[in-house]
Amino acid sequence: MKRIVVFTGAGVSADSGISTFRDADGLWANYRIEDVCTPEALQRNRAQVIEFYNMRRRESLTKRPNAGHLAIAAMEEWADVQVITQNVDNLHEQAGSKRVLHLHGELMKLRSERNPDLIYDINDGWEQSLDAKAEDGSLLRPHIVFFGESVPMFEPACQIVAEADILIVVGTSLAVYPAASLVYYVRDRQVPIYLVDPGNPDTAMIRNPLTHIKERGAVGVPQLLEQLKNELTK
Ligand code: OAD
């Protein structure tokens, strides 16, 4: 079985009704990163940060996987698939993908401010109360990688990409590092890279054979995977 790695960004969830970050109507057009997505913001303005992620979580509870997520999950029938996502929603898991690595954390988890390994699932509802504490006595925070923080899952993600026979990139502007640099960790220059994105992600430095399918995820992903399935399972 071919090893296919799918690297996704906010665009894969756009067709499920979740806003991207950098499109014209994206989240970062309405919020300043330094107000809601940095460790300093959490210290200075805890209420606003918690509220921002409470709203994201509440919104995400009403969203369902789209045809792109579902096609990626169905690919496990004929390929060895690993998903690496920058998204904090759980739509890949809801679609049935079994191996999903979250580079930037997960909305439905909280963690201790002091101990990053003390992580809790939110099993009920969407609201984190301001004074909720972890068992080590410190306050809880969203299990999200803020700007300026290290990305602990980056190394494991690089290793996964290095084993890919095919890399598929869906719905990311490739503007945020280190995540965007994952596309350079493929084993060699022969590994084909497919990109499904209606916009123009920054691919200037990619030297591998690159096919850009300029479609939204719910259309372009099923099309591409059908084509790959026909080619690979002949
Ligand atoms: P961006 O908002 O930067 O990019 C979204 C990408 O999705 C763009 O390339 C769009 O063209 C594309 N897109 C829009 N609609 C689409 C659709 N219907 N189908 C497919 N693609 C579509 O989002 P990311 O690249 O994911 O980090 O952003 C990376 C990180 O920046 C995020 O993980 C987040 C953000 O700040 C943190 O919050 C730490």
Side-chain angles (χ1 to χ4, degrees), residues 12 67-69 71-72 170 196 216-226:
V12 79
H69 297 105
I72 291 166
V170 186
V196 181
R216 56 195 186 87
V219 173
V221 172
Q223 266 172 16
L224 168 65
L225 300 190
E226 189 58 30

Side-chain angles (χ1 to χ4, degrees), residues 183-184 186 188-191 193 203-210:
V183 296
Y184 307 123
V186 284
D188 58 41
R189 287 278 175 85
Q190 272 68 57
V191 175
I193 301 181
T203 57
M205 302 289 281
I206 295 180
R207 295 285 169 265
N208 285 56
L210 176 69

Side-chain angles (χ1 to χ4, degrees), residues 131-173:
D131 53 1
K133 291 208 168 103
E135 63 209 273
D136 63 356
S138 68
L139 287 166
L140 285 168
R141 58 164 277 180
H143 181 47
I144 301 286
V145 175
F146 292 145
F147 281 85
E149 293 184 320
S150 64
V151 184
M153 297 312 281
F154 183 65
E155 281 298 318
C158 291
Q159 284 168 22
I160 290 165
V161 170
E163 286 169 13
D165 298 313
I166 297 172
L167 177 64
I168 299 174
V169 180
V170 186
T172 171
S173 58

Side-chain angles (χ1 to χ4, degrees), residues 9-11 15 21-23 28 86 104 145 147 172-173 197-198 217:
D15 289 330
F21 295 95
R22 291 174 187 77
D23 289 303
W28 297 151
Q86 297 165 87
H104 290 160
V145 175
F147 281 85
T172 171
S173 58
D197 194 302

Side-chain angles (χ1 to χ4, degrees), residues 13-114:
S13 296
D15 289 330
S16 295
I18 298 182
S19 297
T20 62
F21 295 95
R22 291 174 187 77
D23 289 303
D25 54 348
L27 278 172
W28 297 151
N30 297 310
Y31 297 89
R32 289 172 359 132
I33 289 174
E34 48 282 38
D35 288 340
V36 294
C37 194
T38 65
E40 294 77 20
L42 186 66
Q43 294 315 316
R44 265 198 326 260
N45 203 351
R46 193 178 157 75
Q48 192 179 357
V49 175
I50 303 295
E51 170 73 2
F52 176 76
Y53 285 101
N54 277 343
M55 288 307 104
R56 304 280 77 69
R57 200 177 294 116
R58 185 165 79 167
E59 179 192 63
S60 80
L61 288 180
T62 65
K63 306 303 181 194
R64 295 291 165 260
N66 64 59
H69 297 105
L70 293 170
I72 291 166
M75 188 170 42
E76 293 184 13
E77 287 164 23
W78 53 271
D80 177 6
V81 184
Q82 169 80 48
V83 176
I84 300 172
T85 187
Q86 297 165 87
N87 299 345
V88 296
D89 65 53
N90 59 12
L91 295 181
H92 284 299
E93 288 90 342
Q94 278 192 47
S97 283
K98 294 208 184 56
R99 291 193 296 169
V100 183
L101 179 152
H102 286 268
L103 270 179
H104 290 160
E106 294 177 68
L107 261 184
M108 294 310 288
K109 293 183 177 173
L110 301 173
R111 70 170 188 255
S112 152
E113 278 200 357
R114 201 181 305 146

